[in-house]
Amino acid sequence: MNNIEVVKKMYQLFAEGDTEKIKAIFDENLKWNMMVGFPNGGQYIGIEAVFENVFGYLSKYWDTWKAISTRYIETEEGVFVIGHYEGTYKKTGKAVKADFASEYKVKDGKITEYNQYTDTALVIDAMKQTI
C-alpha cells in the first residue's frame, strides 16, 4: 500500500469500528499530537495511550464523533488529510462541524505520527452550557 492507501484504510477501519486492525496500522511508538485547546489535547505516545486518551475520551463524551476526510495530499514523509469533524457533545446536546487538516507521517506502511490542525474554539463552544 502507498501512504495515501494506508491513511484511507485507517479512516475506513474507524468507520467500521475495527480497533484491532486500526492498531495494526499504527507504529508501536506512535506520536499523536492533538492541538492545545482541543478537548484532552496534547501529545500521546504509544498505541494504548492514544486509544485511551484520544479515542476513549471522544467516545465517552461525544455522540457520533467522526472525522470525514475529503482530500488526501501525499508528501515525502506521509499524507495531509483535509476534511471536517462532526459530533454532538453528550452533556449539552450541541452539534459541531469544524474543518481540519491532519498530517500523518507514514513509514514502511505504518502510521508513526499524527499532527492535528483545527479550529478548537468551535469544538469548545459545543461543550459550553447555555444559560
Side-chain angles (χ1 to χ4, degrees):
M1 279 193 281
N2 68 34
N3 293 342
I4 288 178
E5 290 170 334
V6 169
V7 174
K8 280 185 174 182
K9 182 70 173 176
M10 180 204 64
Y11 278 99
Q12 175 190 340
L13 293 170
F14 269 113
E16 295 170 0
D18 195 332
T19 303
E20 292 310 309
K21 286 185 181 174
I22 295 165
K23 289 180 178 182
I25 290 176
F26 290 155
D27 182 83
E28 66 182 53
N29 296 311
L30 173 68
K31 291 180 185 171
W32 200 270
N33 299 300
M34 303 290 287
M35 290 190 65
V36 173
F38 193 84
N40 225 28
Q43 183 181 71
Y44 300 98
I45 298 176
I47 295 169
E48 295 307 320
V50 170
F51 268 82
E52 180 181 336
N53 295 295
V54 178
F55 310 129
Y57 173 87
L58 290 171
S59 65
K60 182 176 180 179
Y61 294 102
W62 292 83
D63 283 325
T64 64
W65 181 268
K66 16 183 191 181
I68 298 168
S69 53
T70 56
R71 210 165 133 212
Y72 298 82
I73 304 161
E74 191 154 16
T75 67
E76 282 186 36
E77 294 183 302
V79 178
F80 272 94
V81 178
I82 308 297
H84 66 273
Y85 297 123
E86 290 181 2
T88 303
Y89 192 62
K90 290 178 181 179
K91 192 172 182 178
T92 64
K94 291 183 189 176
V96 67
K97 181 177 179 183
D99 292 334
F100 73 76
S102 297
E103 176 190 24
Y104 292 90
K105 293 186 180 179
V106 182
K107 185 175 180 182
D108 299 325
K110 299 270 190 177
I111 295 171
T112 60
E113 186 173 327
Y114 166 82
N115 295 292
Q116 176 194 54
Y117 307 95
T118 192
D119 185 345
T120 59
L122 291 174
V123 178
I124 296 300
D125 283 348
M127 298 171 70
K128 291 180 181 176
Q129 293 283 1
T130 55
I131 298 174

